[in-house]
DNA sequence: AATGTGACAGAGG
DNA sequence: ACCTCTGCCACAT
C-alpha cells in the first residue's frame, strides 16, 4: 500500500486501514514500527488523519520524516501538513 | 486466558 | 487547542 503512494503525496493510517477493510488503524502503525524496511518503503508518506505527522521510528525520527516530506514538496508546519487536501492520496 | 501498550481515530469537556 | 475516555487490532508479558 505504502509503495503506491505517489511522490509528493501522503496518506493516512486510517485510509490504509480502510483499503484493507478494517478499522485497525493502530495495527497499521504497529506494522510500520516493526517493519524495518524503511530504505525501500516510503513510510514517511503515512501520516495521521488529523494532518499531523505522527511518529517515525527509523534513525532521525520525526525530524527526518519532516525533511523527507518537505523534500518531496509536502509542506509541514509545526508537525502538521499544510495543504493536506492537496497532497493527500486516497487510493482512488 | 488476561492485561497492557502502541507510528491511531473520534467524541466530549 | 488541550486533555480524557473508548474503540480498534496485533503482540508481548
Amino acid at each position: 500500500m505504502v509503495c503506491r503512494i505517489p511522490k509528493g503525496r501522503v496518506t493516512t493510517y486510517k485510509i490504509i486501514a480502510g483499503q484493507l477493510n478494517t478499522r485497525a488503524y493502530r495495527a497499521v502503525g504497529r506494522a510500520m514500527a516493526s517493519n524495518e524496511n524503511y530504505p525501500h518503503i516510503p513510510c514517511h508518506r503515512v501520516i495521521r488523519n488529523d494532518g499531523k505527522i505522527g511518529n517515525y521510528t527509523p534513525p532521525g525520527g520525526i525530524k527526518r520524516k519532516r525533511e523527507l516530506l518537505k523534500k518531496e514538496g509536502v509542506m509541514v508546519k509545526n508537525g502538521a501538513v499544510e495543504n493536506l487536501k492537496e497532497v493527500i492520496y486516497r487510493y482512488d
Side-chain angles (χ1 to χ4, degrees):
Chain A
M1 297 291 303
V2 180
C3 291
R4 289 208 245 159
I5 308 171
K7 183 179 175 184
R9 314 274 301 276
V10 298
T11 193
T12 73
Y13 302 98
K14 176 178 188 149
I15 292 172
I16 291 178
Q19 290 300 308
L20 297 176
N21 210 34
T22 176
R23 295 142 213 79
Y25 323 115
R26 304 189 79 150
V28 175
R30 227 197 63 70
M32 298 300 171
S34 50
N35 201 344
E36 296 296 322
N37 292 343
Y38 55 90
H40 112 5
I41 293 185
C43 307
H44 57 279
R45 296 180 187 153
V46 186
I47 66 175
R48 293 179 35 157
N49 199 51
D50 57 15
K52 292 185 200 163
I53 290 305
N55 220 319
Y56 195 65
T57 307
I62 300 178
K63 253 183 161 341
R64 177 82 178 291
K65 189 164 180 176
R66 280 209 325 259
E67 289 310 308
L68 287 168
L69 288 173
K70 196 167 183 179
K71 199 158 147 186
E72 297 182 352
V74 180
M75 285 322 183
V76 180
K77 182 169 198 176
N78 242 325
V81 174
E82 283 284 285
N83 37 347
L84 187 57
K85 304 270 292 191
E86 320 269 323
V87 298
I88 196 159
Y89 180 66
R90 294 179 184 283
Y91 293 92
D92 315 296

